[in-house]
Amino acid sequence: MHIDRDVTPDYPLSWQARAVIGLMHGTLKPASILFMRHALALDCAARLGDVVNLLPLRLPGHVTITPAGFSACGGEWVRAGEGLDERKVVLYFHGGGYFSCSPATHRPITWRLSRVARRPVLALDYRQGPVHTLADSLSDALDAYRCLLGQGYAAEDVLLAGDSAGGHLTLATLLALRDRELPLPGAAVCLSPWADLTDFPRRANRWQDPMLPAGRVRWLARRWTAGLDPRDPLVSPVLGDFSGLPPLMILTGSTEVLRDEARRVAVRARRDGVPVRYEEWRRMPHCFPILADVVPEARTAFRHMGEFLAAVAALDEDPPAEGAAA
């Protein structure tokens, strides 16, 4: 499998995807437009996320969840299937706009990622707003990564992954590790990353996106960047220098309001010499792999992730000879 390429998966749109997209257009998007206009809404959404964590989520019998603790935050170990390589790990950052969701809400992603990566997943319960800042979230991510290295994991045996705000945190963590001259992970996977927090209007897909209102994304970015330089690469990773980073895989939907910044990350990273597999899935909504319990395309996306990770592993096992053409 060639890593550095653009892919537009050409699968027929399933009836399940059509139904979910229609439901989002009629419920999630209007609700976001109506309620995401005041700081109180963030606090209410965060509290609702705490309630969701208490709801039972049916998992396959081969999946195990084990609590994990760190100095600044908690998390959980997720293992799916047998024969996992316990010497390797995926460090996962959940999405939720930096104010909602948790490792529990993202188990449809993390257990499948464990299965295709054939290693445990450490889903980090990092600190979020409105109480905490972007710097707190990044500090927790770096603390967890250092903890893994301290437990004996080799940096090249660690994979970073995240969706939406977690994709932002994945990219910011990579840049921070590189700038601090710490050993870098073997690869990273970003699902619908939120990569640009500057105050620019998102015109592309503002009507087609079934889930995220462009104006509310802009409002949230303004809130999280108050008092910060939004052009700082740790705040807006799309503006960073990606030189020296490991291979990236970026998945996004063609109708997302965040699609263009995912594309820009891919272009910028390639310009800086990073191999990037960029996949743009036709009509898929924001962070669609989390819908894998009901949407066939979302389940297929994990197969693509597994192929990418296998290709990265093959590169590590058989590096090109010195002086050979790339």
Side-chain angles (χ1 to χ4, degrees):
M1 174 185 179
H2 185 54
I3 292 177
D4 196 15
R5 60 182 299 204
D6 289 349
V7 178
T8 304
D10 188 20
Y11 298 105
L13 193 66
S14 67
W15 69 265
Q16 295 95 328
R18 294 177 188 273
V20 168
I21 291 168
L23 183 64
M24 286 180 169
H25 263 301
T27 57
L28 287 179
K29 194 167 186 176
S32 297
I33 294 172
L34 179 63
F35 293 110
M36 295 299 294
R37 296 181 177 275
H38 193 277
L40 181 61
L42 298 182
D43 185 62
C44 292
R47 295 178 184 276
L48 180 61
D50 292 337
V51 174
V52 172
N53 289 340
L54 301 177
L55 299 177
L57 176 65
R58 179 173 295 181
L59 296 171
H62 61 82
V63 177
T64 61
I65 308 293
T66 307
F70 290 90
S71 58
C73 52
E76 62 184 29
W77 286 99
V78 182
R79 291 175 171 87
E82 299 179 352
L84 302 184
D85 190 343
E86 294 289 340
R87 300 167 300 175
K88 301 179 180 182
V89 64
V90 177
L91 178 57
Y92 193 84
F93 308 125
H94 67 81
Y98 280 116
F99 67 92
S100 67
C101 297
S102 69
T105 61
H106 281 61
R107 287 173 185 168
I109 292 178
T110 53
W111 79 254
R112 289 179 171 89
L113 191 53
S114 172
R115 185 172 63 180
V116 299
R118 300 189 60 79
R119 64 184 73 189
V121 170
L122 174 59
L124 191 66
D125 192 13
Y126 58 89
R127 291 173 290 176
Q128 302 186 88
V131 176
H132 301 288
T133 66
L134 294 180
D136 293 329
S137 301
L138 180 58
S139 176
D140 289 348
L142 294 171
D143 179 66
Y145 183 78
R146 291 192 192 96
C147 182
L148 290 173
L149 298 185
Q151 291 180 358
Y153 291 96
E156 61 270 21
D157 290 335
V158 180
L159 303 174
L160 299 188
D163 65 279
S164 192
H168 176 281
L169 188 53
T170 297
L171 295 170
T173 300
L174 288 172
L175 294 174
L177 291 173
R178 192 272 319 277
D179 292 347
R180 300 179 189 195
E181 299 183 346
L182 291 169
L184 294 173
V189 176
C190 293
L191 313 178
S192 302
W194 185 24
D196 192 341
L197 272 65
T198 61
D199 189 28
F200 79 101
R202 291 175 171 85
R203 295 185 176 89
N205 289 335
R206 63 182 300 120
W207 305 117
Q208 293 92 333
D209 190 310
M211 180 177 176
L212 298 179
R216 296 305 91 205
V217 174
R218 191 179 186 188
W219 175 81
L220 195 60
R222 287 173 176 172
R223 178 169 180 82
W224 295 151
T225 59
L228 302 175
D229 177 6
R231 300 189 66 83
D232 181 338
L234 297 185
V235 177
S236 293
V238 72
L239 303 178
D241 177 354
F242 290 80
S243 300
L245 296 190
L248 298 176
M249 183 177 192
I250 300 173
L251 281 81
T252 187
S254 66
T255 55
E256 290 194 54
V257 296
L258 300 185
R259 180 201 62 192
D260 283 2
E261 54 206 82
R263 283 180 176 175
R264 289 162 57 204
V265 169
V267 170
R268 197 172 186 100
R270 284 182 180 142
R271 182 204 64 186
D272 295 333
V274 178
V276 180
R277 181 173 175 87
Y278 172 80
E279 295 197 358
E280 188 172 303
W281 288 65
R282 186 170 62 93
R283 292 188 61 185
M284 285 296 104
H286 179 65
C287 191
F288 70 94
I290 201 170
L291 302 172
D293 287 344
V294 292
V295 175
E297 293 91 334
R299 294 192 289 274
T300 302
F302 286 95
R303 190 182 73 215
H304 287 220
M305 293 180 222
E307 292 170 352
F308 166 76
L309 297 176
V312 170
L315 285 179
D316 293 337
E317 293 170 1
D318 188 22
E322 185 175 352

